[in-house]
Amino acid sequence: MGFYAQTIFPTLLDWVMSNSEFTAYRRQLLADVAGEVLEIGMGTGLNLAHYPESVTQLVAIDPNLGTHRLARKRLKETSAPVELRVLNGESLPLADHSFDCVVSTWTLCSIPNVQAAIAEIERVLKPGGRFFFVEHGLSGQAEVAWWQNRLTPLQKIIADGCHLNRDMEQLICDHFGQINVKKFYSPSFPKPVGYMYFGIADKKR
């Protein structure tokens, strides 16, 4: 990773993702997370303050060392035992059926091989485990999707690999089957960057 990705982008990411609307989504998503938890793409640690006491162990991963530096400042805000690791989500050195829950917040958009990452999420979840996610991605409106497809090459440069045009529901369903997901536009961002997928996928027992 270059200077921009490790030094400038983490600060920009932290500023954008500290939005009060996103904070409310985090709080709502994480309220029912419990047990041994894996967070894919911890970013700058904005989720840390919202994990409930029901979390007994948190393993948080991110390949960007620049985000780790900011995340460590937030470790003081959580009482859960946290292990930060420099890893990507596509090939996890973690045992099968290791976690009760996996969390991903605005992360799947930027993983190069997102299909591999979702397969890994399903693999490390215990039978009956749950994948909690909030992501942005491809809109169901053709005119918005048109802009998303054309803006994605620029977005990948500005936002360290972020894609605007991934169908998150379909990608997750490919590995989990039917999922419970709400789709909506964020009121804080233009439609091409603000189409949200908020939901839970349950691993079959």
Side-chain angles (χ1 to χ4, degrees):
M1 292 186 179
F3 176 81
Y4 174 81
Q6 290 202 37
T7 304
I8 298 174
F9 177 70
T11 301
L12 177 63
L13 176 71
D14 191 67
W15 176 67
V16 172
M17 301 310 291
S18 296
N19 176 287
S20 60
E21 177 191 347
F22 285 179
T23 299
Y25 296 154
R26 294 177 198 278
R27 188 179 299 114
Q28 181 182 351
L29 182 74
L30 299 175
D32 294 325
V33 173
E36 295 178 291
V37 178
L38 172 66
E39 181 177 339
I40 301 290
M42 113 194 119
T44 61
L46 289 168
N47 287 340
L48 291 173
H50 305 292
Y51 280 106
E53 292 182 0
S54 54
V55 173
T56 57
Q57 175 67 39
L58 174 63
V59 177
I61 70 167
D62 202 293
N64 189 328
L65 281 170
T67 64
H68 280 245
R69 286 191 288 272
L70 294 175
R72 292 186 188 281
K73 298 178 183 178
R74 294 193 166 100
L75 284 174
K76 299 176 182 178
E77 300 174 13
T78 180
S79 59
V82 182
E83 178 186 354
L84 303 184
R85 302 183 65 178
V86 182
L87 294 171
N88 65 59
E90 298 155 313
S91 181
L92 298 172
L94 303 168
D96 295 356
H97 317 312
S98 300
F99 296 94
D100 299 293
C101 301
V102 176
V103 170
S104 173
T105 56
W106 301 284
T107 295
L108 298 181
C109 60
S110 59
I111 298 177
N113 189 345
V114 65
Q115 293 91 344
I118 297 172
E120 284 288 85
I121 289 169
E122 194 274 341
R123 179 183 67 79
V124 302
L125 273 171
K126 298 175 182 179
R130 313 187 83 188
F131 174 36
F132 293 77
F133 61 90
V134 55
E135 301 285 348
H136 72 132
L138 186 68
S139 169
Q141 291 184 280
E143 61 272 24
V144 178
W146 186 91
W147 279 107
Q148 289 177 314
N149 289 326
R150 280 147 185 81
L151 291 172
T152 287
L154 178 60
Q155 175 75 0
K156 287 167 65 178
I157 296 170
I158 296 171
D160 196 28
C162 172
H163 295 69
L164 300 173
N165 59 353
R166 287 180 170 172
D167 186 337
M168 297 301 183
E169 181 178 18
Q170 186 59 58
L171 287 166
I172 296 170
C173 281
D174 285 345
H175 294 278
F176 283 89
Q178 187 174 0
I179 63 175
N180 181 10
V181 61
K182 298 177 183 178
K183 295 180 285 186
F184 55 92
Y185 287 106
S186 162
S188 302
F189 293 89
K191 285 185 174 181
V193 298
Y195 189 70
M196 301 294 172
Y197 296 72
F198 184 106
I200 301 173
D202 294 304
K203 181 172 178 176
K204 293 181 180 178
R205 294 185 180 273

